[in-house]
Amino acid sequence: MADKPVKEETKPGEGAEAQQRTRVEVVDKNAICTYANFCRVTGTPEELILDFGLNSQPYGMPTEPVEVKQRIVTNYFTAKRMLQALHLSVQRHEQAFGVLETDVQKRVLKPQG
């Protein structure tokens, strides 16, 4: 987490390129960080609801309920910007480290025998 906020400003009249360089000042020293390996997406016509939790049984169907620890409610405009930012981040990660396989069964090593 950053200790000092970052802020870049642009002058009025600068084009769209300058707007993309603009950064919003962010202070994250009080942010709570938790880990999640479970996400449920629901919503209404106006809002998108993202529930995050820890699934203690990531293989197969859980026998215990997954407890949601964090919920983010946002509008679809913000969700679309988040989707683009996540896509770009994952794309950069895959370029550096290889393709991420999301099917757990394909990632699990099968016993030789």
Side-chain angles (χ1 to χ4, degrees):
M1 293 185 203
D3 291 328
K4 296 181 181 178
V6 176
K7 185 176 182 180
E8 292 180 12
E9 294 188 24
T10 58
K11 296 176 185 171
E14 289 184 351
E17 295 170 8
Q19 288 179 356
Q20 292 197 1
R21 287 192 312 259
T22 303
R23 292 190 183 186
V24 175
E25 184 176 345
V26 175
V27 177
D28 61 358
K29 65 182 178 181
N30 295 320
I32 298 170
C33 181
T34 58
Y35 176 80
N37 64 357
F38 171 85
C39 179
R40 175 180 64 185
V41 180
T42 57
T44 69
E46 294 86 20
E47 297 171 327
L48 190 68
I49 301 166
L50 304 169
D51 289 332
F52 295 96
L54 182 63
N55 180 2
S56 61
Q57 300 168 312
Y59 299 105
M61 185 59 82
T63 56
E64 297 177 14
V66 175
E67 185 177 350
V68 170
K69 294 286 189 176
Q70 300 289 323
R71 174 172 286 157
I72 297 174
V73 181
T74 188
N75 61 57
Y76 283 93
F77 298 99
T78 301
K80 188 169 184 177
R81 289 190 294 271
M82 184 176 14
L83 175 66
Q84 292 167 341
L86 288 170
H87 177 74
L88 183 60
S89 294
V90 171
Q91 191 175 43
R92 287 179 181 163
H93 180 87
E94 288 186 328
Q95 287 172 349
F97 301 105
V99 176
L100 295 167
E101 178 56 63
T102 56
D103 184 346
V104 175
Q105 297 303 318
K106 291 181 181 177
R107 292 194 322 253
V108 174
L109 295 175
K110 297 182 179 164
Q112 307 230 345

